Amino acid sequence: MKTLVLANQKGGVGKSAVATLLAHHLRRLGQRVLAIDLDHQANFSQALTRSGRAVVAEVTADRLLAQAGVGVPDAPFVLVSGHRELLALERQAAQHNAYARNVRAFLAAVDGVFDVAIVDTNPNPDIRVIAALASADFVVSPVQLNQEAMSGVNMLLNHERVGIRRIKAVLNPKLQLVGLLPTMVEPTPFQKANYVQVVQAFHPILIRVGDGPGAFAAIPRRSCIAEAQASGEVLWEMKKTAAREASAEIRPTLDAIAARVMGAAIQPAEGAPHAAAA
Ligand SMILES: Nc1ncnc2c1ncn2[C@@H]1O[C@H](COP(=O)(O)OP(=O)(O)O)[C@@H](O)[C@H]1O
Ligand SMILES: [Mg+2]
């Protein structure tokens, strides 16, 4: 099982929406998916619960940290939901090592049951994010192309507690940054200017979707993506043309992330057009 964490120390950048799209995408590719929501606001949980696709585990995500030996159903798509109790964990500083150990032991215990675990996180850099990153294989960082994006990226990499460099050096050398994922991208001149800046500064850590210049993964701002997130519908199964167009637009991005995380476990159908809607 591969574990992918969505992380960025900012709220409202599209983490939960990307987590939801990736979970449905990896199911579409036939992968057994374990979705874990470490955010007490539970937006990821809500979208997946409303989709009706995932078996909702009885245990909630706070238990994965606070308790040893918890189990989840054996099914191809399982959700461990976010819960208010997640907020209380940061205050139990004496337990933090145990929390990180419990998460690691839990992921090891379900290793043969799922192909991939997708972990959505809260924005505050606390023990939940540390425990997730300390046991993950991969991290994707959704970023919004606004004025703060640059300083946010710096924090993501270099934050003294949850920065990826520190986590890799101290807690988890196997952790790999898949890359930054610009989200809610709009074709405004302001965002274009920011995008050029981000590409110039960070192109080594953007996610490639092809060989051409500027062929980087991104998620555009589309009202149907917000709608799918709110209703629980799977974007590429929605009837409207706008949803089909958005699905085709983001397909290369979802494929690139899936390929990086799953490696040889995903065999793209021969000759399958990259941008084909499901
Ligand atoms: N690509 C997108 N296009 C339009 N709306 C989006 C997109 N991604 C996210 N949203 C909406 O923006 C809001 C914040 O996104 P969310 O994924 O919850 O961010 P985060 O998890 O980082 O806090 C939500 O209402 C969500 O539906
Ligand atoms: Mg969220």
Side-chain angles (χ1 to χ4, degrees):
M1 184 182 80
K2 302 295 184 193
T3 298
L4 167 65
V5 174
L6 284 301
N8 182 332
Q9 289 95 51
K10 275 194 173 27
V13 296
K15 284 187 298 296
S16 299
V18 170
T20 303
L21 291 165
L22 279 171
H24 287 308
H25 182 63
L26 286 158
R27 278 304 298 146
R28 163 165 71 169
L29 297 177
Q31 302 299 301
R32 296 168 299 171
V33 174
L34 173 62
I36 300 175
D37 190 352
L38 292 180
D39 192 348
H40 51 277
Q41 292 191 29
N43 295 321
F44 186 33
S45 310
Q46 197 172 72
L48 293 186
T49 302
R50 288 185 180 160
S51 80
R53 302 296 168 90
V55 174
V56 182
E58 213 167 291
V59 71
T60 50
D62 52 300
R63 297 288 95 201
L64 300 187
L65 287 90
Q67 206 174 311
V70 299
V72 294
D74 183 345
F77 193 3
V78 172
L79 165 69
V80 180
S81 303
H83 190 277
R84 258 175 305 110
E85 277 296 310
L86 284 161
L87 266 176
L89 301 173
E90 179 64 8
R91 291 193 294 274
Q92 307 295 322
Q95 299 299 318
H96 284 187
N97 286 341
Y99 291 168
R101 264 202 315 277
N102 288 340
V103 169
R104 181 167 293 202
F106 168 77
L107 292 172
V110 297
D111 183 51
V113 182
F114 301 99
D115 300 303
V116 59
I118 298 176
V119 186
D120 190 21
T121 61
N122 51 297
N124 15 0
D126 66 10
I127 182 59
R128 291 174 272 177
V129 178
I130 294 171
L133 291 175
S135 293
D137 302 291
F138 296 100
V139 54
V140 166
S141 192
V143 292
Q144 236 180 307
L145 299 179
N146 55 33
Q147 255 149 350
E148 297 151 49
M150 309 295 255
S151 66
V153 169
N154 194 37
M155 192 157 75
L156 169 83
L157 299 174
N158 299 315
H159 188 279
E160 59 186 31
R161 195 161 169 223
V162 299
I164 288 164
R165 276 189 230 288
R166 177 185 180 266
I167 299 271
K168 260 180 93 91
V170 179
L171 298 172
N172 182 9
K174 77 169 193 275
L175 181 66
Q176 292 183 45
L177 175 66
V178 176
L180 305 180
L181 177 60
T183 54
M184 301 191 229
V185 177
E186 288 175 282
T188 62
F190 175 71
Q191 283 220 347
K192 275 200 184 125
N194 271 330
Y195 187 69
V196 170
Q197 261 194 321
V198 168
V199 169
Q200 276 166 356
F202 298 109
H203 62 88
I205 54 169
L206 291 172
I207 303 165
R208 283 220 152 265
V209 294
D211 299 328
F216 297 112
I219 305 282
R221 182 188 291 280
R222 295 286 176 264
S223 56
C224 55
I225 293 180
E227 230 176 273
Q229 187 65 8
S231 69
E233 284 166 284
V234 178
L235 181 70
W236 39 92
E237 294 174 11
M238 289 169 87
K239 291 281 177 281
K240 14 169 138 190
T241 309
R244 266 200 297 276
E245 284 170 2
S247 302
E249 270 181 295
I250 66 171
R251 179 87 201 229
T253 287
L254 298 178
D255 277 335
I257 295 169
R260 177 75 190 279
V261 171
M262 303 311 299
I266 287 178
Q267 310 280 339
E270 203 152 324
H274 219 34

